[in-house]
Amino acid sequence: MTARTGTVGGRTWVFPDLRTLLARASPARSGDVLAGIAAGSAAERVAARRALADVPLTALLEEPVVPYEADDVTRLILDTHDRAAFAPVASLTVGGLRDWLLSDAADEASLAALAPGVVPEVAAAVSKLMRNQDLVAVARRCRVVTSFRTTIGLPGTLASRLQPNSPTDDPREVLASTLDGLLLGCGDAVIGVNPATDSPRATTELLLLLDEVRERYDVPVQTCVLSHVTTTLDVLDRGAPVDLVFQSVAGTQAANAGFGITLDLLAEARTAATELGRGTVGSNVMYFETGQGSALSAGAHHGVDQQTLEARAYAVARAYDPLLVNTVVGFIGPEYLYDGKQITRAGLEDHFCGKLMGLPMGVDVCYTNHAEADADDTDTLLTLLGVAGCSFVIAVPGSDDVMLGYQSLAFHDVLYARRVLGLRPAPEFEAWLGSVGLLDDDGRVRELPPSDSVLSALGRRVLGP
């Protein structure tokens, strides 16, 4: 390991290894303070960034932040690294990569070619040298397109996950929330339910419910019940209508063990779902969620800062060619991201790192009720992500998830972002919205559908006259 130094105001700090340097260079956040690895002052943070800017990118491959011998995520990152894709930037420093990313040379084609060669430590390192506008500007040029029944990530689009959770998995509540979201043009990324229990029975009942709505009203969407991957494999083997396999993942082997998963298990799940052949326009079948602080909360962070570990989770996701990946950016709580400023920064970092690594990146723009954040903060982050070309966001009825107990976006927020930024739903879903009378002549979602529309009929069936 090589010690590195940085000087600010006549004082010099020594950073004994890359793990320490990356942590000290991170923007301030409560999780790193909790872990005892954050910079002790703004001056030390600047000194660390100066030192980090001079680090060759190859050093981030040669000095893993988590030992190769002890961690299968590190082995995945290094053993599958695409050195040919990395070659055009291999001679650069971290600061040099930042300059290149912000130059005209880093166009959409160049960034797409580079993505397989970007290891998470490189993505995390360069993000630490970037302002918010830099993260937005570069992510906007990273184009990642995936598909199943809808196509996600096309230029000029913003998809949404419709999240119709119920505290008791009540089918009437789930149906009412699903109807609410569809009427407001949401659900083109996925209709995804977090089950109140992880039982095979509850998972199967919810899958059948959502699949019935999809088939009866010919909605071109994919559905998902966000049970543990082992539960999903169980019900899949029993014939349940599984479109996507969901799993939360993290950036270390120990943290993934805390989730009850291995890399081999994820590979098995992908194979099983792919063999069903349920997609119509594509075959991306995996859905992953991540979030800064998950490894730290599991005591599995190895002294690495939470943002670098978050980027390592994207290496796990990338290995399985997912349809969707999203960071649940403010969900864990203020112990990890204290306030609206830290949540906004983390959301932009996560989106940037995921897109730079070639992932179809979305964000759950959210916060817990004990965080120093409010709806103004989610408005700001949503708008920034829309400008940055975010693939999808998550929306719940009224912005209040009554099952998970946190604040996310409302369905109306998705309409706001599409309208002010000139964005549209996924094309297959937009065509369906038009076919059932939910779009006006300008392609905007109507305030009320025609009384004879299929969705009005669904509303009468679910909610009564």
Side-chain angles (χ1 to χ4, degrees):
M1 295 184 182
T2 302
R4 294 167 175 89
T5 61
T7 301
V8 173
R11 179 179 175 183
T12 298
W13 283 264
V14 178
F15 308 102
D17 51 37
L18 272 178
R19 181 176 59 188
T20 302
L21 180 61
L22 288 165
R24 301 294 195 272
S26 284
R29 61 205 56 197
S30 52
D32 291 339
V33 174
L34 178 67
I37 60 175
S41 65
E44 183 183 8
R45 187 172 296 111
V46 171
R49 289 175 181 172
R50 286 183 173 178
L52 181 60
D54 292 332
V55 171
L57 296 181
T58 52
L60 293 159
L61 293 166
E62 297 162 357
E63 190 179 328
V65 294
V66 183
Y68 182 92
E69 299 78 12
D71 188 86
D72 61 3
V73 176
T74 300
R75 294 193 290 275
L76 172 70
I77 292 167
L78 296 180
D79 292 350
T80 62
H81 180 228
D82 190 330
R83 293 187 178 274
F86 181 65
V89 299
S91 64
L92 299 178
T93 62
V94 177
L97 177 61
R98 175 189 179 275
D99 292 343
W100 181 80
L101 288 172
L102 293 170
S103 74
D104 291 339
D107 57 18
E108 185 176 315
S110 298
L111 289 167
L114 176 65
V118 178
V119 297
E121 289 81 359
V122 166
V126 73
S127 76
K128 297 176 193 296
L129 304 184
M130 303 175 85
R131 292 172 56 186
N132 286 359
Q133 68 171 254
D134 300 336
L135 299 173
V136 169
V138 176
R140 184 176 177 84
R141 285 183 265 127
C142 296
R143 182 63 53 197
V144 183
V145 179
T146 56
S147 58
F148 188 79
R149 291 194 188 96
T150 59
T151 305
I152 310 300
L154 291 170
T157 64
L158 174 65
S160 62
R161 169 183 160 192
L162 196 172
Q163 183 168 292
N165 293 345
S166 163
T168 59
D169 292 335
D170 186 312
R172 187 176 171 90
E173 292 177 5
V174 172
L175 275 172
S177 295
T178 299
L179 169 64
D180 189 18
L182 290 172
L183 286 169
L184 290 168
C186 292
D188 46 339
V190 63
I191 302 176
V193 179
N194 297 91
T197 69
D198 199 49
S199 72
R201 178 180 177 181
T203 297
T204 300
E205 289 176 350
L206 289 169
L207 284 169
L208 289 169
L209 178 71
L210 296 178
D211 202 53
E212 180 186 356
V213 172
R214 180 188 67 79
E215 288 194 328
R216 177 169 296 192
Y217 301 101
D218 198 26
V219 192
V221 294
Q222 38 280 337
T223 63
C224 184
V225 176
L226 282 68
S227 300
H228 191 270
V229 61
T230 53
T231 302
T232 303
L233 279 172
D234 182 14
V235 302
L236 183 154
D237 287 341
R238 297 171 187 234
V242 173
D243 288 343
L244 306 183
V245 175
F246 168 83
Q247 183 55 49
S248 295
V249 294
T252 69
Q253 179 177 345
N256 284 323
F259 284 141
I261 61 169
T262 65
L263 302 182
D264 287 343
L265 178 61
L266 296 179
E268 177 188 348
R270 182 193 175 201
T271 298
T274 301
E275 289 176 350
L276 295 178
R278 291 174 60 85
T280 55
V281 296
S283 58
N284 300 108
V285 297
M286 301 300 286
Y287 176 20
F288 296 111
E289 278 191 343
T290 65
Q292 287 195 29
S294 60
L296 174 57
S297 67
H301 64 293
H302 297 275
V304 182
D305 69 272
Q306 63 185 41
Q307 191 253 332
T308 299
L309 290 179
E310 173 73 3
R312 284 170 57 94
Y314 302 153
V316 175
R318 181 170 61 180
Y320 304 98
D321 198 21
L323 176 75
L324 307 168
V325 179
N326 70 258
T327 169
V328 190
V329 68
F331 180 72
I332 303 181
E335 301 85 357
Y336 305 95
L337 295 169
Y338 179 72
D339 58 15
K341 181 174 183 178
Q342 291 188 10
I343 291 170
T344 296
R345 173 69 192 192
L348 295 178
E349 288 171 347
D350 295 351
H351 178 253
F352 164 84
C353 289
K355 292 288 282 295
L356 190 65
M357 293 174 62
L359 288 176
M361 202 68 199
V363 178
D364 188 355
V365 181
C366 63
Y367 61 92
T368 58
N369 288 311
H370 61 311
E372 291 294 322
D374 58 29
D376 286 338
D377 297 306
T378 56
D379 287 348
T380 299
L381 180 52
L382 169 61
T383 304
L384 289 168
L385 289 167
V387 175
C390 187
S391 295
F392 71 101
V393 293
I394 293 178
V396 305
S399 79
D400 185 7
D401 191 305
V402 296
M403 194 277 277
L404 294 175
Y406 78 121
Q407 306 301 307
S408 186
L409 298 176
F411 303 135
H412 289 86
D413 295 327
V414 178
L415 296 184
Y416 148 78
R418 287 174 178 162
R419 182 165 297 189
V420 300
L421 298 173
L423 302 172
R424 307 180 78 89
E428 300 85 356
F429 187 71
E430 183 177 45
W432 177 81
L433 290 172
S435 72
V436 297
L438 276 176
L439 298 182
D440 64 18
D441 292 340
D442 295 322
R444 297 179 300 188
V445 174
R446 295 180 185 273
E447 292 186 8
L448 291 173
S451 60
D452 60 347
S453 74
V454 293
L455 283 179
S456 295
L458 174 60
R460 290 191 294 273
R461 172 175 175 264
V462 174
L463 302 175

